């Protein structure tokens, strides 16, 4: 069976299908635990919150975050290699009539997805954080099987420098968790895609309600959001995709093989949506 089907399909809610996923909690007890433990987490991270109030944390975070993500991608990227290889398998099906693939990646970061793109693809990279550029340029040099358009520094909600209906594929991995408006990003995706083009995505998302993992996400959310450059642990991104005006959405919920220390990131969605 395909990897994405075999590892924890969301539609299987039996004990066997859920594998090692956590058992339900009593909602009332969850609410009390969240309130107490969120406060404990906030106090433990008090220096960071003080810097944030003073307006000093965000500029520092913007500089540190790319370095952190580059190191994480090098260490843990191989854990997701099989998922990405299968996800991007059908990407050439969306090439234009000439056979060329015009691809826009939103939130490219350090370019960890380049290895999965077909040879000769014309790739436009966009990211709002200019401090990723040193890692991005290095990755572009290492992946010379692609043709790179000029890099774009812009928020995902405003890609006005990219022409409407100008790309065959848009890719977005681990970005929708931290944007200001998922709805606005998806509107931009639909604008830049040509008719029949596709949006490929992998995102960590909210766990099932009333589970231990959901509890941990709620506890960590305030401090995590501040610490990791606006990342949200509890977004139900699949609902935004279903509400957007795509003609078709192929989406799976998976239980990603992340390190136990970051179990809050295990619930994922991946797939693609067609304009």
């Amino acid at each position: 069976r395909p990897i994405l089907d075999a590892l924890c399909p969301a539609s299987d809610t039996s004990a066997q299908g859920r594998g090692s996923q956590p058992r339900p909690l009593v909602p009332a007890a969850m609410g009390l635990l969240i309130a107490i433990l969120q406060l404990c987490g906030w106090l433990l991270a008090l220096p960071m919150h003080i810097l944030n109030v003073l307006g000093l944390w965000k500029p520092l975070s913007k500089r540190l975050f790319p370095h952190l993500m580059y190191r994480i991608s090098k260490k843990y990227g191989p854990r997701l290699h099989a998922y990405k290889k299968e996800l991007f398998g059908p990407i050439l099906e969306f090439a234009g009539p000439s056979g060329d693939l015009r691809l826009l990646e939103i939130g490219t970061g350090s370019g960890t997805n380049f290895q999965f793109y077909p040879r000769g693809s014309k790739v436009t990279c966009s990211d709002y954080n200019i401090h990723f550029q040193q890692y991005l340029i290095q990755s572009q040099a290492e992946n010379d099987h692609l043709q790179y358009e000029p890099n774009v520094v812009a928020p995902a909600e405003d890609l006005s420098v990219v022409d409407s209906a100008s790309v065959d594929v848009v890719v977005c991995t681990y970005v929708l968790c931290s944007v200001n408006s998922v709805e606005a990003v998806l509107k931009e995706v639909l604008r830049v895609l040509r008719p029949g083009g596709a949006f490929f995505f992998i995102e960590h998302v909210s766990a099932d309600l009333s589970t231990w993992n959901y509890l941990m996400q709620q506890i960590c959310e305030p401090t995590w959001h501040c610490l990791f450059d606006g990342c949200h642990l509890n977004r139900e991104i699949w609902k935004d995709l279903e509400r957007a005006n795509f003609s078709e959405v192929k989406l799976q919920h998976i239980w990603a093989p992340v390190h136990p220390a970051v179990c809050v990131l295990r619930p994922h969605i991946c797939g693609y949506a067609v304009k």
Side-chain angles (χ1 to χ4, degrees):
R1 296 169 58 192
I3 292 168
L4 299 183
D5 291 334
L7 283 178
C8 188
S11 59
D12 188 348
T13 57
S14 67
Q16 182 179 2
R18 299 300 285 181
S20 60
Q21 294 192 42
R23 296 179 180 179
L25 291 171
V26 178
M30 181 186 289
L32 179 60
L33 281 171
I34 288 172
I36 295 173
L37 295 176
Q38 273 187 343
L39 178 60
C40 292
W42 194 91
L43 291 172
L44 287 171
L46 185 58
M48 180 188 67
H49 290 294
I50 291 174
L51 288 174
N52 192 41
V53 170
L54 295 175
L56 301 175
W57 176 253
K58 286 187 177 181
L60 179 62
S61 175
K62 290 289 187 293
R63 289 185 173 273
L64 295 178
F65 187 68
H67 178 67
L68 174 64
M69 292 306 297
Y70 177 75
R71 292 178 64 87
I72 290 175
S73 67
K74 287 295 184 182
K75 188 171 184 179
Y76 296 110
R79 292 173 179 255
L80 295 169
H81 186 276
Y83 290 85
K84 288 187 175 182
K85 185 176 181 180
E86 183 177 338
L87 172 67
F88 294 123
I91 200 169
L92 268 178
E93 296 176 12
F94 299 97
S98 65
D100 294 331
L101 184 71
R102 300 165 300 168
L103 187 151
L104 167 68
E105 182 167 354
I106 299 175
T108 310
S110 59
T112 58
N113 293 324
F114 292 161
Q115 60 185 303
F116 302 101
Y117 298 157
R119 179 173 296 276
S121 300
K122 298 179 179 178
V123 180
T124 301
C125 305
S126 74
D127 203 294
Y128 85 107
N129 191 338
I130 196 171
H131 299 294
F132 271 111
Q133 288 291 310
Q134 59 175 316
Y135 303 112
L136 176 60
I137 292 171
Q138 177 184 333
S139 185
Q140 288 176 331
E142 293 171 352
N143 291 273
D144 57 2
H145 65 289
L146 304 174
Q147 301 177 35
Y148 299 101
E149 302 293 339
N151 296 334
V152 174
V153 179
E157 296 90 344
D158 181 12
L159 298 170
S160 55
V161 295
V162 181
D163 292 336
S164 299
S166 63
V167 298
D168 305 303
V169 167
V170 176
V171 173
C172 183
T173 61
Y174 304 108
V175 173
L176 297 179
C177 59
S178 58
V179 297
N180 292 325
S181 170
V182 177
E183 180 183 2
V185 174
L186 294 180
K187 285 183 178 178
E188 279 291 82
V189 169
L190 285 164
R191 180 185 66 80
V192 302
L193 276 175
R194 64 163 177 80
F199 172 54
F200 286 76
F201 55 86
I202 301 178
E203 299 287 343
H204 67 83
V205 294
S206 175
D208 292 340
L209 185 65
S210 299
T211 63
W212 283 106
N213 213 68
Y214 179 83
L215 170 64
M216 291 303 299
Q217 288 179 333
Q218 300 307 307
I219 292 168
C220 297
E221 168 68 17
T223 299
W224 185 281
H225 176 260
C226 186
L227 182 61
F228 292 105
D229 200 23
C231 175
H232 292 275
L233 293 169
N234 53 7
R235 282 187 169 173
E236 298 176 327
I237 297 172
W238 66 91
K239 294 183 179 179
D240 296 288
L241 287 162
E242 291 165 353
R243 285 193 294 264
N245 293 320
F246 291 104
S247 63
E248 181 183 11
V249 177
K250 292 190 175 183
L251 177 153
Q252 289 198 20
H253 290 255
I254 61 173
W255 202 243
V258 299
H259 193 279
V262 286
C263 62
V264 291
L265 298 177
R266 283 179 177 167
H268 274 52
I269 58 170
C270 59
Y272 63 88
V274 181
K275 178 176 177 180

